[in-house]
Amino acid sequence: MRLALPRWSGTLAVKAAVFITVMCCALAALLGVLVHVSVTNQTVGEARDLALSRLKEATEAYEAGDTLTWDAGVDQPDLPGSLRALAVAGDRGTMVGVHGGRPVMWAAGPVDGDRSLAVEVDYAQNARTIAALDRAILWSSALAITATLLVGAFAVTRVTKRLHTTARVARRITAGDLDARVGDPRTKDPSRPQDEVAAVAAALDSMAGSLQGKLLSEQRFTADVAHELRTPLTGLHAAAELLPPGRPTELVRDRVAALRTLTEDLLEISRLDTGRETVELDTERLAAVAERVVRASGTDTEVAVLREVTVETDRRRLERVLGNLVANAHRHGRGPVTLTVDGTVVSVRDHGDGFPEYLVEHGPQRFRTEGGARGHGLGLTIAVGQAEVLGARLSFSNAADGGAVATLALP
């Protein structure tokens, strides 16, 4: 089982701080060990040389029959056992030990065959020097690590702040704000060095500009086509009305009406795409609006009111959304179709084959239908656009026991 880490542990700043801290600690430990070993070897070497020198003088004095100094003696009881054995065996050696509660450097050698002559040299000052050095290494390492961590955190924070700005702009673009730009100053001044974050920001701004240009071109094309079609369609509709009654006339009038509906839908989508639509709020009983929509649709749709509420909304736009949902349910689904009002949530459900997978995951796409369905995919696209103008959220799903469910959550 993998251990779950907290969300903040995944941030770049935390990772950089941990990396800098670990590397600083490793470097400080390595340098501290090297300095400690070097200074300790030098200090011990000097004390050893001094002890051996005094041992030589004490040995010469002992062999000459002179009185030994206070720091020398034969078979001293405090002499470490291993050093005593070395001296009795006929060799000379040194060892750091304790005598009288203070650290000393012992030097011992053989005398009179199986006896040992030992000399002690005060090692307290050397021990204090090494201890002071160790403390200095610890304090300097802690200071260096802290300073490096602060400087590194400052540098990383500047980078992460720019990355957060880029991510925030990307989310705004995803939400539909195509005017959003990072505007990194490094991308505007060619003389300044360009780092990777600036390259990402420049690429995002370029992508947003290109995307905005293409969408604006598409919107203008849709609006222009719809406007250009209105005039000939008006004439075509008037001409169709003058045709003599009969089956061919009915077919012509039906196709002209469908083409007029498509043109009006395109005009409505072009207005919604501009993002400049405004709402005219009024107080409405949601159940009454639902019943009025069902009556206007002329379809056999059941209205179920679970919880009645009064909302402030644009009645015309709300009726447009619900009317499109009801019409889509009857056109592409199967009965019975139910419109349910539960507080500020309105759902329309049919019992057909359900929504296509792409629509459930990504929402409706204009001029796309699947499974041989008739239509142009504009009805649900308009419903989503009008819901956004109302500040509502329109979602699509499929019921577990079959059928499509469109849910409108009003604010």
Side-chain angles (χ1 to χ4, degrees):
M1 182 177 179
R2 188 175 179 180
L3 181 63
L5 298 176
R7 293 178 61 87
W8 55 264
S9 63
T11 61
L12 180 60
V14 173
K15 292 180 179 179
V18 172
F19 176 77
I20 292 174
T21 303
V22 171
M23 293 303 297
C24 287
C25 290
L27 182 60
L30 178 61
L31 293 178
V33 169
L34 292 177
V35 173
H36 173 82
V37 170
S38 176
V39 174
T40 300
N41 287 341
Q42 181 180 358
T43 302
V44 172
E46 292 176 352
R48 179 180 293 112
D49 292 341
L50 178 59
L52 291 175
S53 174
R54 292 188 179 178
L55 176 63
K56 181 180 179 181
E57 294 175 357
T59 302
E60 292 175 353
Y62 180 80
E63 292 176 350
D66 296 336
T67 304
L68 297 176
T69 58
W70 64 272
D71 56 352
V74 178
D75 294 334
Q76 295 210 38
D78 292 338
L79 184 66
S82 58
L83 185 58
R84 183 191 305 276
L86 182 66
V88 171
D91 294 324
R92 290 186 175 186
T94 59
M95 179 180 289
V96 178
V98 178
H99 185 211
R102 55 188 179 83
V104 295
M105 172 66 75
W106 290 102
V111 290
D112 295 341
D114 58 350
R115 304 184 68 185
S116 63
L117 175 63
V119 175
E120 62 178 79
V121 175
D122 185 27
Y123 194 73
Q125 181 60 39
N126 304 74
R128 286 193 294 270
T129 300
I130 295 175
L133 174 66
D134 291 341
R135 288 193 297 271
I137 291 175
L138 290 176
W139 281 107
S140 60
S141 299
L143 182 61
I145 291 172
T146 302
T148 305
L149 186 60
L150 291 176
V151 174
F154 174 74
V156 171
T157 301
R158 293 189 63 186
V159 174
T160 54
K161 183 178 180 180
R162 294 166 60 198
L163 289 175
H164 283 308
T165 300
T166 304
R168 185 167 58 251
V169 172
R171 285 192 291 268
R172 288 173 56 190
I173 294 174
T174 302
D177 184 7
L178 297 182
D179 293 325
R181 296 293 185 272
V182 179
D184 195 312
R186 291 169 177 78
T187 62
K188 300 178 181 179
D189 187 1
S191 62
R192 300 184 64 177
Q194 303 292 310
D195 58 7
E196 288 78 2
V197 180
V200 172
L204 180 62
D205 287 347
S206 176
M207 180 200 70
S210 176
L211 180 62
Q212 184 178 36
K214 292 179 180 179
L215 289 178
L216 289 177
S217 297
E218 179 184 341
Q219 292 171 7
R220 283 195 297 269
F221 175 76
T222 303
D224 292 343
V225 168
H227 278 291
E228 292 297 328
L229 285 175
R230 294 187 80 178
T231 300
L233 277 176
T234 302
L236 189 60
H237 177 73
E241 293 296 326
L242 298 177
L243 293 175
R247 180 60 180 167
T249 300
E250 293 178 1
L251 292 176
V252 171
R253 289 175 178 175
D254 178 69
R255 293 300 88 195
V256 170
L259 191 55
R260 289 188 67 181
T261 300
L262 175 60
T263 302
E264 295 300 327
D265 287 347
L266 289 174
L267 282 172
E268 186 171 358
I269 287 178
S270 66
R271 290 193 299 268
L272 291 173
D273 284 341
T274 61
R276 299 173 183 172
E277 294 285 271
T278 58
V279 295
E280 298 178 1
L281 296 178
D282 199 1
T283 302
E284 300 286 344
R285 290 178 57 248
L286 202 51
V289 174
E291 292 171 354
R292 189 161 52 247
V293 168
V294 170
R295 285 197 302 270
S297 69
T299 60
D300 184 17
T301 303
E302 178 186 356
V303 178
V305 180
L306 303 182
R307 186 161 51 95
E308 169 70 300
V309 294
T310 301
V311 296
E312 284 192 4
T313 187
D314 189 320
R315 180 176 60 83
R316 180 183 65 83
R317 297 185 188 277
L318 178 58
E319 290 179 350
R320 176 67 160 151
V321 174
L322 297 180
N324 281 15
L325 295 180
V326 171
N328 183 82
H330 283 278
R331 183 178 298 118
H332 301 293
R334 290 190 298 271
V337 176
T338 305
L339 191 155
T340 304
V341 178
D342 186 5
T344 58
V345 178
V346 183
S347 61
V348 177
R349 185 202 169 164
D350 62 57
H351 290 76
D353 297 329
F355 289 119
E357 183 178 352
Y358 81 88
L359 193 148
V360 174
E361 293 183 359
H362 307 290
Q365 300 176 21
R366 60 192 73 173
F367 298 107
R368 178 175 179 180
T369 56
E370 290 187 358
R374 295 177 299 131
H376 306 87
L378 300 182
L380 293 183
T381 302
I382 292 174
V384 171
Q386 294 287 11
E388 292 178 353
V389 175
L390 292 174
R393 184 172 61 87
L394 181 58
S395 59
F396 304 92
S397 61
N398 291 321
D401 55 347
V405 181
T407 304
L408 177 68
L410 292 168

